Amino acid sequence: MTILPDFGLMIDTHFCTLISPIMANALLTLFYLPEHTSGTLRERVCSTLRRAIHNGALTRGQRLPSSRILAKDLGVSRVTTEAAYSQLEAEGYLQRRVGQGTFVAICIVKSPPVANVIGEPHLSLRGRQIVQTGGCRDPEHPLPFAAGSPDLRVFPLKLWKHLTAQQLRLRGETLLRYGDPQGYRPLREAIAGYVSQTRGVNCDAQQVLVLTSSQQALQLIATLLLDNGDKVWMEEPGYRGARNAFTSAGGELVPVSVDEAGMRADDKLPAPRLIYLTPSHQYPTGVALSLARRLELLALAQRHRAWIVEDDYDSEFHYDGQPMPAMQSLDRHGNVLYLGTFSKALFPSLRLAYLVVPPALVESFTTARTVYDGHSAQLMQAVTAEFILQGHFAAHIRYMRQLYSSRRDQLLAQVHEKLGHYATPQPAAGGLQLSVWLPPGQESALTQQAQRLGVITPGLAALYQTANLRRDGWLLGFSALTPGEIRAAVERLARITAR
Ligand SMILES: Cc1ncc(COP(=O)(O)O)c(C=O)c1O
């Protein structure tokens, strides 16, 4: 006896002697295939035979065993095989002739296997522009020191589960429907309240769009506000996700250097259509854009009728004093688009971010969202809104800020103590990662050595567009690591010897 996985049945291995010799081998192998184990027995018989006819294992004119014999051999009821044959006859696969038997009725010409296409697939110009950026993937496993991951081991899952169940109970049916493309209204209100209280952002819920991610926001901004060849000022070094979004839309990047006061505008640079900034905590150097520079850039944007995109990606995590209010709070002319994400403050797979746009842009952005993906998942928007409105978000941020602050201190101390022979840490008033400079020309070799020791050290050089400005360094993520994990990983890096 053996088991037929398709049917989960015991069957006599000698059943080939019991059925029509024509079918014996075919049926043995066909019904033995481990796929399609779901569905009713009738549907499983049907799909096995359909598959066999499609792939040429059964050909036109071939005779099948009677439904009685097939039923016996498979150990199923005759009603099942009879129903399966009738169904396949109705579909045109089989023909049943009274007194003669059941035959395969069609011949499906097998198409030649798909040739292994050699060379590039034919993509549109836009498609090529997108692919050429190389994309930007975030690490699925926050191994030390992958950058930018929150610690999900301490996320209040029980509470989240409770709020999810509560939302389903209270408004389950509504939340299962299509939703507002601009975002679930209570969440937009909660976000408007949160960013105006904590970041001084000037807005109401009508200006808030709830999106899947900052990346989606950047893609929408690029598509709606840039034409081919438009100049985009980018911090140098800067965030690759933004760079990719703008170049994908045909924007021409203009690298603008960053010093200890942030982006340094220069009148000699080509006039911008858009300026992308991370003012509260520059990515990746960690510096804050000074008030004087903020005012200067706002005036410049107004002069050139340019947009400013303020990416406030991790302002929740500021450890030494208060961060400056958002730049948007200084905007008097409606030039600033303010961007925030829940990827760091809650969890990345939530896929919720927000964009606060000047009133004049609300309608266009909402319409564009309908062309992209409609809206974000209603249930998660409702749960997030409740999480904020019931005060859990503020408490969670307070707790995580303390936790991350102590981890930042620990990493800084460990780097000073054990990696001082080749790494120079930069100020890290906030954020989830620490940048360290490395001796010139050594990033690649040191990164390879780290990798051999099982440590991931995201590089800084790749975040520059201009080769001669490039500085070697690492961006070490600390937020997802316990003190013990930080210590162990730094100890491994301490074994590296710089030239
Ligand atoms: C500057 C900056 N903006 C945005 C993000 C990501 O946000 P999201 O996951 O919402 O795309 C990151 C992630 O590391 C970032 O560094």
Side-chain angles (χ1 to χ4, degrees):
M1 297 286 266
T2 187
I3 294 172
L4 280 182
D6 251 15
F7 298 91
L9 300 169
M10 300 297 283
I11 190 162
D12 194 321
T13 39
H14 301 300
F15 89 111
C16 48
T17 58
L18 301 173
I19 62 173
S20 146
I22 301 171
M23 287 306 302
N25 288 337
L27 281 181
L28 247 181
T29 45
L30 296 182
F31 287 100
Y32 223 77
L33 294 171
E35 305 135 50
H36 297 287
T37 46
S38 59
T40 63
L41 280 177
R42 177 181 60 82
E43 193 37 57
R44 279 186 263 167
V45 174
C46 284
S47 61
T48 305
L49 289 171
R50 256 190 235 110
R51 200 171 52 231
I53 294 171
H54 274 283
N55 67 23
L58 292 176
T59 52
R60 180 159 56 191
Q62 224 167 323
R63 186 167 171 215
L64 270 63
S66 70
S67 60
R68 185 182 58 78
I69 290 181
L70 185 65
K72 188 164 172 258
D73 290 334
L74 293 178
V76 300
S77 93
R78 171 121 185 247
V79 176
T80 301
T81 51
E82 189 53 43
Y85 277 2
S86 301
Q87 162 97 24
L88 292 175
E89 186 180 31
E91 290 175 14
Y93 285 96
L94 301 181
Q95 191 187 34
R96 308 190 77 186
R97 296 185 216 137
V98 182
Q100 291 181 41
T102 301
F103 299 85
V104 177
I106 51 164
C107 168
I108 294 186
V109 181
K110 263 194 175 175
S111 44
V114 179
N116 211 353
V117 182
I118 296 175
E120 298 291 307
H122 181 77
L123 296 182
S124 66
L125 179 60
R126 194 183 322 98
R128 287 203 295 280
Q129 272 167 338
I130 293 173
V131 174
Q132 269 161 18
T133 65
C136 30
R137 281 167 210 238
D138 291 303
E140 284 174 42
H141 306 286
L143 296 171
F145 286 102
S149 309
D151 192 343
L152 303 175
R153 290 175 284 191
V154 293
F155 186 77
L157 270 179
K158 244 192 192 154
L159 174 59
W160 194 263
K161 202 167 118 190
H162 165 73
L163 292 176
T164 306
Q166 188 188 57
Q167 287 304 305
L168 280 171
R169 196 172 58 247
L170 294 177
R171 41 188 76 88
E173 196 239 324
T174 315
L175 295 176
L176 299 184
R177 295 185 201 146
Y178 284 116
D180 181 347
Q182 196 182 337
Y184 184 65
R185 177 89 200 185
L187 179 58
R188 283 195 279 124
E189 278 164 6
I191 291 170
Y194 167 69
V195 293
S196 48
Q197 281 159 33
T198 60
R199 306 292 300 123
V201 173
N202 256 319
C203 72
D204 58 31
Q206 195 41 39
Q207 287 168 260
V208 177
L209 281 116
V210 179
L211 301 169
T212 305
S213 57
S214 305
Q215 198 56 42
Q216 185 182 49
L218 293 167
Q219 198 67 46
L220 269 173
I221 291 168
T223 312
L224 285 179
L225 304 182
L226 292 180
D227 283 315
N228 267 343
D230 277 349
K231 305 286 181 286
V232 179
W233 285 15
M234 287 283 304
E235 295 158 327
E236 175 79 333
Y239 181 47
R240 198 154 41 189
R243 230 201 268 169
N244 290 349
F246 300 137
T247 48
S248 302
E252 251 178 50
L253 304 183
V254 179
V256 185
S257 62
V258 167
D259 61 19
E260 64 292 340
M263 180 186 266
R264 204 174 59 199
D266 183 340
D267 280 341
K268 290 194 252 353
L269 295 172
R273 176 100 282 262
L274 191 148
I275 304 171
Y276 170 84
L277 287 164
T278 46
S280 66
H281 184 237
Q282 202 270 329
Y283 183 92
T285 62
V287 299
L289 187 65
S290 70
L291 180 61
R293 295 263 175 96
R294 288 173 191 229
L295 295 169
E296 197 184 312
L297 282 162
L298 283 165
L300 186 142
Q302 174 59 11
R303 253 195 336 275
H304 292 292
R305 300 178 58 80
W307 301 106
I308 289 183
V309 176
E310 175 177 18
D311 186 350
D312 211 15
Y313 64 106
D314 65 2
S315 60
E316 290 88 0
F317 303 112
H318 205 85
Y319 312 126
D320 307 326
Q322 282 293 314
M324 279 172 82
M327 197 165 161
Q328 195 266 11
S329 66
L330 302 168
D331 178 24
R332 297 284 164 268
H333 303 282
N335 293 324
V336 178
L337 290 85
Y338 175 85
L339 175 55
T341 178
F342 289 113
S343 289
K344 322 282 174 200
L346 290 176
F347 53 96
S349 78
L350 180 61
R351 298 287 77 200
L352 286 180
Y354 44 92
L355 180 63
V356 179
V357 297
L361 288 180
V362 172
E363 192 59 42
S364 317
F365 272 77
T366 306
T367 305
R369 182 79 201 273
T370 67
V371 175
Y372 274 46
D373 62 343
H375 61 81
S376 301
Q378 292 249 82
L379 175 60
M380 283 303 104
Q381 292 191 71
V383 175
T384 306
E386 254 340 269
F387 195 78
I388 298 172
L389 294 169
Q390 292 184 17
H392 304 303
F393 187 63
H396 180 61
I397 296 297
R398 260 195 315 276
Y399 177 70
M400 299 311 281
R401 195 183 292 136
Q402 276 176 12
L403 190 73
Y404 294 163
S405 164
S406 66
R407 291 175 180 184
R408 186 265 325 243
D409 293 345
Q410 158 137 37
L411 178 60
L412 255 178
Q414 293 273 312
V415 170
H416 276 301
E417 187 190 332
K418 296 179 181 144
L419 309 184
H421 57 296
Y422 66 86
T424 316
Q426 296 307 291
L432 309 186
Q433 57 248 340
L434 173 75
S435 52
V436 300
W437 297 129
L438 298 171
Q442 294 202 35
E443 184 188 299
S444 156
L446 292 172
T447 302
Q448 278 169 27
Q449 289 191 59
Q451 229 163 38
R452 279 197 290 276
L453 296 164
V455 184
I456 296 166
T457 50
L460 285 179
L463 304 181
Y464 287 82
Q465 298 169 67
T466 334
N468 58 357
L469 290 182
R470 212 161 270 172
R471 277 190 77 172
D472 285 356
W474 286 337
L475 194 58
L476 305 176
F478 54 76
S479 44
L481 306 173
T482 62
E485 289 164 340
I486 291 176
R487 203 175 321 108
V490 171
E491 267 159 20
R492 269 185 270 166
L493 292 184
R495 286 190 240 147
I496 291 179
T497 43
R499 264 177 284 138

